[in-house]
Amino acid sequence: MRRVTIERLEPPFIDLHAATWTDADTYVVRDDARRFENWERFIAGQIGLGVAARYAMRVGIDAIEARVKALATLLRRELAKRPGVSVHDRGVEQCGIVSFLKDGEAAGKTRDRLRAMNINAHEARLSRLDLSAGGADALVRASLHYYNDESEVERFVRAVAG
């Protein structure tokens, strides 16, 4: 981060990493990026991240990518087969995030209906520059991961078509 930018930003909270006491009631905030560090750290989260990274390395990054893309391709294909469901993903290389709409149902309504069935989906608000949704202001987004399986994709498609 540029120093001029750092100087304009205030840390969300200040502790012994972010500032130095200069008197009993006075402190000076660091002038470098360490002003955003804090003493209290989310140790459980850091341990979890390390465990997840080691697991991903054992599975293999290429294998994970292939699995996620295969599941996303399956989801796109199955959603597109359903009457009244339109897939809105673009690009030559598509990832594990699938964007879609159900005719006659706002993206937020679809998201809420799926969540009521314990299925995670998100509403993605669109900018004026994104015309892929044919006039809609939002899309529903589903994110697949390598721990998902084909039966979950099938369940998801049935729930969307609902």
Side-chain angles (χ1 to χ4, degrees):
M1 184 179 290
R2 291 186 179 130
R3 288 206 180 271
V4 67
T5 303
I6 289 174
E7 292 168 3
R8 291 194 325 245
L9 299 174
E10 284 295 319
F13 46 87
I14 297 172
D15 71 358
L16 297 176
H17 278 277
T20 302
W21 289 106
T22 55
D23 200 352
D25 59 354
T26 311
Y27 60 90
V28 174
V29 177
R30 295 182 64 103
D31 64 353
D32 60 7
R34 290 194 65 197
R35 73 188 315 166
F36 302 107
E37 291 183 15
N38 63 343
W39 178 258
E40 297 295 328
R41 298 185 322 194
F42 182 40
I43 300 298
Q46 290 175 307
I47 292 169
L49 177 60
V51 170
R54 280 191 297 280
Y55 181 75
M57 296 307 289
R58 273 197 313 273
V59 171
I61 300 303
D62 292 338
I64 291 170
E65 178 183 15
R67 173 72 176 159
V68 169
K69 286 182 174 181
L71 288 171
T73 298
L74 174 64
L75 179 56
R76 285 183 189 94
R77 185 178 68 234
E78 294 302 313
L79 285 173
K81 288 180 185 177
R82 297 295 177 134
V85 178
S86 55
V87 177
H88 293 271
D89 294 333
R90 300 183 304 187
V92 174
E93 186 171 347
Q94 297 181 339
C95 66
I97 300 172
V98 178
S99 303
F100 65 94
L101 285 173
K102 180 169 173 45
D103 288 350
E105 188 171 64
K109 177 71 173 166
T110 303
R111 177 208 56 213
D112 293 345
R113 186 169 56 79
L114 294 171
R115 284 187 181 172
M117 294 182 263
N118 294 318
I119 297 173
N120 289 324
H122 301 278
E123 177 185 16
R125 308 298 284 163
L126 301 177
S127 72
R128 294 180 190 266
L129 300 176
D130 189 345
L131 304 176
S132 68
D137 66 346
L139 294 171
V140 183
R141 289 177 55 167
S143 301
L144 292 131
H145 212 312
Y146 63 98
Y147 53 73
N148 292 123
D149 63 33
E150 289 78 1
S151 69
E152 291 173 309
V153 171
E154 292 171 19
R155 178 176 175 242
F156 186 89
V157 171
R158 283 193 312 273
V160 169

